Structures are given as C-alpha cells and as structure tokens.
Amino acid sequence: MKVSALMTSPPVVVAPRVTVRQAAQRMDEEAVGCLLVADGEHLCGVVTDRDLALRALARGLDATAPVAELMSTPVVTLDVTDDLETAYRLFRRSGVRRLPVLDDHRPVGMLAVDDLFRDVLQHLADLLGPISWSVLHEGPRGGPGQTTD
C-alpha cells in the first residue's frame, strides 16, 4: 500500500514569513498540530505545536517573529509513491511523529504515526471480526453451548 492511501491531504502550509502568532492561530483553526513551511512550492521546514511551546513561548520569542526562526530543518519526507514499509522505516529512524509527503518535490500531504496506528487497528479488527463471530456462535471448542469447564 502506498503512503498516499493513508496521508492527510492537502497539508496545511504557511509561508516562512508568517508570524508565530499566526502559525498558532492557523493550527487552532485547522485543528492540526503541525504546519509545513513552504516558499512557493518549495518545502523549507516544519513547525509543530511543540516547537511553538518550546522554541517560541519557553524562550520568550516575540509572537511577531517569523516561523522561519523556529521551524525544524532539514525535513525528513516521504514521496507520494513510497510504500508503507518505507514510512515505517523513516518513522523508526527519524523519531518524528509526522512526515510530509511530496509529489515532485511539492508538499501534497502529511502522514502521521497515528495514521499508521489506525490502519493497523483496522486490519486487526478485520481479522478479529470473523474469529469473534465464530467463537460466539460455535462456542470455545467448536460446538454450540460447549464450555471449557
């Protein structure tokens, strides 16, 4: 399966000159914890809610400072054609919780660890559904009404 099947698209993108306050407001409006920082179609960095708290607020950075002053760089990214195994590897290696997804170097989506969790849980539910049904209808030893006592 390709990362494009699980990514959130389009990503929320801001320009490097956007202020810290505007970035926080945008996160609130869009209900996201991460913004991609791009100059035109070129990805420059990433700003997370954690960056706002630790790199801006905790350090006394002025709310009118541009997000370019606190964004994380370089950015670890995925390509829209990458498979999920590549995503798992990158998450393990990088230690980040979100990866921007690019198509021809343009940001087109965001893949989060939570997206992978949801996918895994859905697959487990798909597997457990028939098993649960058969246990309920056949009993634990294969016959109706049989018990394990």
Side-chain angles (χ1 to χ4, degrees):
M1 180 184 295
K2 302 293 183 195
V3 297
S4 58
L6 297 181
M7 72 181 188
T8 300
S9 182
V12 183
V13 181
V14 296
R17 68 185 175 283
V18 165
T19 67
V20 169
R21 176 177 288 117
Q22 290 169 324
Q25 290 168 338
R26 185 78 186 272
M27 283 184 190
D28 183 39
E29 291 165 3
E30 301 285 343
V32 296
C34 182
L35 301 172
L36 299 185
V37 181
D39 190 7
E41 293 186 348
H42 171 71
L43 183 63
C44 303
V46 173
V47 174
T48 66
D49 47 8
R50 183 174 170 83
D51 294 331
L52 292 177
L54 300 180
R55 294 183 182 170
L57 186 60
R59 295 181 185 170
L61 188 64
D62 190 286
T64 61
V67 293
E69 290 184 23
L70 64 105
M71 68 185 180
S72 296
T73 60
V75 183
V76 178
T77 63
L78 288 163
D79 189 85
V80 73
T81 61
D82 285 337
D83 59 31
L84 290 182
E85 185 58 38
T86 301
Y88 277 100
R89 258 194 323 274
L90 275 176
F91 277 120
R92 277 193 305 270
R93 260 197 332 240
S94 67
V96 298
R97 293 178 38 218
R98 302 170 186 101
L99 291 169
V101 180
L102 306 179
D103 184 8
D104 196 28
H105 305 288
R106 292 177 298 107
V108 294
M110 182 74 74
L111 186 70
V113 169
D114 292 355
D115 298 323
L116 298 179
F117 286 151
R118 274 191 296 278
D119 185 56
V120 167
L121 290 174
Q122 183 60 55
H123 285 295
L124 285 173
D126 292 346
L127 290 172
L128 290 174
I131 293 169
S132 299
W133 186 88
S134 69
V135 168
L136 288 173
H137 288 84
E138 296 174 11
R141 291 196 182 165
Q146 292 182 354
T147 63
T148 58
D149 293 8

